[in-house]
């Protein structure tokens, strides 16, 4: 089994596309990315190192049936996951958002993952500088940094690949160190 599990929620597919990019860069150490609405909690718990991605929908929320994802998404999956003790899990987060249209709640959804996972005992790695983004407010900023990689592929497509590669370079060793 691969060492790093990659899971995402999505509505229009961009977060899936990013997961695929990451899997390609990571190669053999990463499993095939899967949508959280197609897996069981046990499928995710099989990994101690995880990359989890989410877009933001609604009023700064996680994707869900309520925000229009027919089969459900993070909002439905997260409580099931966090009913488990996640201590020992090392998790890197990435979030998709739109800083032009939603600069007052930019990538807020990623914070929902962060706070629930942390409360369940997970170690979160992979914070990311806020330089290069323009927004007025984001719950995803903690202690002056994003709590994971933020990608605004709609407004800044030209820097996406560089951001993804730079972030993976940073988190790969932290994720692989989980069994060291
Ligand atoms: C109805 C709607 C609400 C959104 N709300 C937010 C938001 O509050 N904050 C944000 O940063 N982006 C918001 N976005 C932007 C999406 O998060 C962004 O387009 C993302 O790339 C979509 O990812 P997906 O293609 O994986 O579904 C919203 C988009 C839509 C269509």
């Amino acid at each position: 089994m691969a060492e790093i599990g990659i899971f995402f929620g999505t509505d229009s597919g961009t977060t899936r596309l990013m997961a695929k990019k990451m899997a390609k860069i990571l190669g053999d150490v990463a499993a095939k990315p899967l949508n959280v609405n197609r897996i069981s909690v046990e499928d995710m718990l099989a990994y101690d190192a995880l990359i989890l991605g989410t877009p933001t929908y609604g009023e700064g929320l996680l994707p869900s049936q309520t925000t229009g994802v027919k089969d459900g998404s993070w909002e439905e999956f997260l409580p099931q996951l966090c009913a488990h003790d996640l201590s020992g899990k090392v998790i890197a987060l990435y979030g998709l958002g739109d800083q032009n249209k939603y600069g007052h709640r930019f990538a807020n959804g990623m914070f929902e993952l962060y706070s629930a996972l942390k409360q369940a005992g997970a170690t979160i790695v992979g914070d990311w500088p806020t330089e290069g983004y323009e927004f007025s407010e984001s719950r995803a900023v903690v202690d002056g940094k994003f709590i994971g990689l933020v990608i605004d592929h709609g407004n800044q497509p030209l820097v996406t690949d560089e951001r993804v590669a730079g972030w993976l370079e940073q988190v790969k060793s932290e994720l692989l160190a989980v069994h060291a």
Side-chain angles (χ1 to χ4, degrees):
M1 194 175 101
E3 287 148 277
I4 302 173
I6 306 181
F7 299 92
F8 59 87
T10 186
D11 190 346
S12 47
T14 325
T15 313
R16 174 189 297 111
L17 182 70
M18 296 306 134
K20 285 186 172 174
K21 276 183 191 289
M22 290 180 193
K24 197 170 171 195
I25 294 172
L26 288 169
D28 289 345
V29 296
K32 181 177 181 279
L34 294 172
N35 192 320
V36 292
N37 65 18
R38 292 183 48 199
I39 62 158
S40 69
V41 169
E42 285 66 33
D43 292 334
M44 191 179 286
L45 292 174
Y47 296 91
D48 287 331
L50 291 158
I51 294 178
L52 305 180
T54 188
T56 297
Y57 278 103
E59 302 207 346
L61 302 171
L62 291 170
S64 66
Q65 280 182 334
T66 314
T67 70
V69 187
K70 189 167 55 69
D71 296 329
S73 190
W74 274 119
E75 187 63 29
E76 290 80 9
F77 187 86
L78 192 60
Q80 300 175 47
L81 175 64
C82 291
H84 295 258
D85 177 9
L86 301 182
S87 49
K89 305 288 182 196
V90 177
I91 303 178
L93 301 173
Y94 71 97
L96 276 282
D98 177 340
Q99 66 201 299
N100 289 7
K101 214 164 167 188
Y102 303 99
H104 54 299
R105 50 173 194 248
F106 183 41
N108 274 13
M110 186 167 64
F111 180 80
E112 303 302 319
L113 290 189
Y114 172 83
S115 60
L117 294 166
K118 227 173 124 88
Q119 206 167 343
T123 300
I124 309 293
V125 297
D127 58 15
W128 188 250
T130 56
E131 279 83 39
Y133 305 82
E134 273 187 48
F135 59 96
S136 54
E137 234 177 285
S138 172
R139 293 192 76 194
V141 178
V142 173
D143 294 334
K145 288 183 132 192
F146 287 124
I147 39 103
L149 174 66
V150 173
I151 302 168
D152 184 346
H153 194 57
N155 297 306
Q156 300 179 312
L158 299 181
V159 291
T160 293
D161 284 356
E162 181 186 312
R163 281 176 175 162
V164 168
W167 182 72
L168 285 177
E169 184 78 32
Q170 179 190 318
V171 297
K172 186 177 173 182
S173 54
E174 290 180 275
L175 290 170
L176 292 176
V178 69
H179 287 135

